[in-house]
Amino acid sequence: MFNQDIYESIEKEFEKNRIEEDVEEVLLDLSEALADQGIMDKEVTLKESYGRTPIEVTGICSEDEGEETVLIKTLKIGKKEFVIEDYFL
């Protein structure tokens, strides 16, 4: 689990933008979507929409001993950006 303060800030931003999904659920979904692109060891940006709110995630997928990992670097909700720098998947 990443930094609690960042988590709470993202949660508040979700509430402001009427995003009903859980923060962890969205980050996991975005991590899986990044991994599904199959681009390894390069920074990749992906845009998704939750309700009417665009969410942009930047991360790096890598494979270690046959296991995929995704480092989420930043998450942008509307115009607000959060630096996460944590692994998912």
Side-chain angles (χ1 to χ4, degrees):
M1 175 73 174
F2 60 99
N3 182 304
Q4 190 65 32
D5 292 336
I6 294 171
Y7 181 90
E8 288 171 5
S9 297
I10 293 171
E11 204 168 44
K12 285 178 189 166
E13 200 62 28
F14 273 26
E15 287 171 15
K16 268 200 270 183
N17 288 284
R18 295 186 179 94
I19 299 171
E20 294 176 13
E21 287 83 0
D22 184 57
V23 172
E24 288 177 54
E25 188 180 307
V26 169
L27 289 171
L28 199 54
D29 286 349
L30 293 169
S31 296
E32 289 172 356
L34 283 171
D36 288 347
Q37 292 192 357
I39 300 169
M40 295 293 164
D41 303 318
K42 287 186 181 174
E43 194 168 285
V44 179
T45 300
L46 177 74
K47 289 182 183 177
E48 296 280 331
S49 286
Y50 286 83
R52 295 181 180 181
T53 306
I55 293 183
E56 187 177 284
V57 65
T58 301
I60 300 173
C61 302
S62 55
E63 203 168 329
D64 187 26
E65 296 176 19
E67 202 167 302
E68 258 182 15
T69 59
V70 177
L71 169 67
I72 292 187
K73 296 177 73 74
T74 61
L75 180 72
K76 194 172 182 180
I77 304 166
K79 291 183 169 119
K80 193 155 189 179
E81 187 170 45
F82 301 90
V83 176
I84 296 178
E85 296 288 341
D86 205 350
Y87 284 92
F88 291 82
L89 293 188

